[in-house]
Amino acid sequence: MCALRMRPDEIDLDAALVRRLVAAQFPHWASLPVTRVTSSGTENAMFRLGDDKVVRLPRHPGAVDGVAHERHWLARLGPRLPVPTPTPLALGEPGEGFPWPWCVYGWLDGRNPVAGALERPGELAADLGAFVAGLRRLDPDGGPASNRGVPLARRDGDTRAALAQLAGRIDTAAVTARWEEALRAPGHTGAPVWAHADLSPGNVLVAGGRLAAVLDFGCVGVGDPAVDLIVAWNLLPAEARGAFRAAVGADDAEWARGRGWALSISLIQLPYYWETNPPLAENSRHVISEILAEPR
C-alpha cells in the first residue's frame, strides 16, 4: 500500500477501526479476521474480511460520493457484464469515529497485473476488449453522466498545467505535440454509452494471465467511451493493442481520443504522485514513454 499520506484531508484507517465498525454494525461477521489489502489506490482503503469479503472505505472527503454511486450501479451493471465484478453485500454507516458511509463487497481472487510483465498479453487484450464492448452494449438510459465522458478539450487547461510542472523531468515538447494531436481528433458523435472510466492496472485482476475481474466502478457513467481505451497504454504492450482495439471496435478518431485520455490522466497524476504514490507515478511514466514511442 502507499506508505505516505497523499492528501492533507486524508484520514487514518487501520484494521482495529474496521473491526470495531464491523462488530458494531454487522455483529454476525464480528469474529472474522480483518487484514489490510496492499493497494496503490488513492480514493479508498480495502480490508479483507474473512476469506470471502472485503471492506472498502473512503480515504478522504472527495471519495465519499463514490461509495453510494458505485454500490448503486454495480448492483445493476455487474451481473450483466462478461467479467466478474465486486458484489455489494452491505452498506455501513458512519460510526466508531469514522465519519462516512462504507461498503462490504464479495472478495474476488486474482492479482493486479504489471505493465511490461504480462503472461498472456494477447489473450488479456481480447478479454479487456470483451469487457469494454460488453459494458458499451448495456442500455445507457437513466445512467449518470461520466465525468470522463467529455470532450478532451475540457482537459486542456489541467493537462498543460501539469506539463508546466513537469518541465525538465520529461520531454515536454514531444509530449505537448502528442497532446495537441489528440485535441485535433474528431469528437464523439454517437449516442452516450457506458464507460468504466478508470481502467488502470490497479482496477484489474488477472489469474493465469487472463482477466479475472474488474474493480472500482466509482467513475462509471455514460458519455464518450473513448476513456476506456486508456488500458491500451497503461497496461497492454504495443503488440497486443491491435487485439484490444479490434475487440472494442474503435475507429481512428476514437483511438486518438483514447490515446489523449491516457496521456492526460498520466500527465496530471505524475507531478501529484511523484513522491506520494510511486506505483502510480511509475505507471504514468510508462504511459508517456509508450505513447512517445508510437509512430506518428
Side-chain angles (χ1 to χ4, degrees):
M1 72 191 77
C2 185
L4 299 177
R5 185 182 294 266
M6 290 176 284
R7 304 171 189 267
D9 56 355
E10 189 172 319
I11 65 173
D12 293 325
L13 299 169
D14 58 25
L17 169 64
V18 174
R19 279 192 287 270
R20 294 196 302 272
L21 285 166
V22 170
Q25 300 184 34
F26 306 108
H28 51 294
W29 292 333
S31 63
L32 297 177
V34 175
T35 308
R36 186 158 191 162
V37 177
T38 300
S39 171
S40 61
T42 63
E43 304 298 305
N44 300 276
M46 295 188 296
F47 294 80
R48 191 163 183 175
L49 179 62
D51 292 329
D52 61 354
K53 286 175 278 291
V54 63
V55 176
R56 198 159 180 262
L57 308 95
R59 296 172 63 154
H60 60 90
V64 175
D65 288 347
V67 173
H69 178 90
E70 178 179 53
R71 185 172 184 270
H72 176 85
W73 291 109
L74 257 181
R76 287 154 177 76
L77 300 175
R80 301 159 65 192
L81 291 170
V83 175
T85 60
T87 300
L89 301 177
L91 178 63
E93 299 176 349
E96 305 300 317
F98 184 73
W100 306 309
W102 50 282
C103 276
V104 182
Y105 291 95
W107 175 262
L108 291 166
D109 287 323
R111 62 174 181 82
N112 294 128
V114 177
L118 303 181
E119 299 171 54
R120 301 159 75 177
E123 290 166 287
L124 179 59
D127 293 343
L128 286 163
F131 166 77
V132 172
L135 180 57
R136 291 180 177 192
R137 285 193 294 269
L138 299 184
D139 184 359
D141 188 44
S146 171
N147 290 334
R148 287 183 169 179
V150 299
L152 274 180
R154 296 193 192 177
R155 306 271 298 185
D156 191 39
D158 289 342
T159 301
R160 292 184 190 273
L163 279 163
Q165 294 178 61
L166 291 166
R169 292 194 278 185
I170 65 171
D171 186 345
T172 52
V175 173
T176 299
R178 286 294 197 171
W179 172 241
E180 290 175 348
E181 286 176 9
L183 289 174
R184 292 193 293 270
H188 181 63
T189 58
V193 297
W194 283 103
H196 177 279
D198 197 15
L199 277 181
S200 63
N203 291 334
V204 170
L205 295 180
V206 295
R210 302 294 298 271
L211 183 61
V214 175
L215 312 176
D216 194 345
F217 282 66
C219 292
V220 73
V222 299
D224 177 3
V227 66
D228 275 352
L229 303 183
I230 61 175
V231 73
W233 294 274
N234 68 30
L235 179 58
L236 297 174
E239 63 270 19
R241 286 177 200 140
F244 172 72
R245 181 175 177 176
V248 173
D251 62 19
D252 289 346
E254 183 183 353
W255 194 250
R257 295 196 306 276
R259 184 189 294 111
W261 272 105
L263 190 58
S264 176
I265 290 169
S266 295
L267 289 169
I268 292 171
Q269 281 185 164
L270 185 51
Y272 193 86
Y273 295 126
W274 192 283
E275 300 290 343
T276 60
N277 196 316
L280 271 185
E282 177 57 32
N283 190 254
S284 293
R285 286 189 288 267
H286 170 82
V287 170
I288 293 165
S289 295
E290 289 293 300
I291 289 174
L292 290 181
E294 288 190 333
R296 297 177 66 176

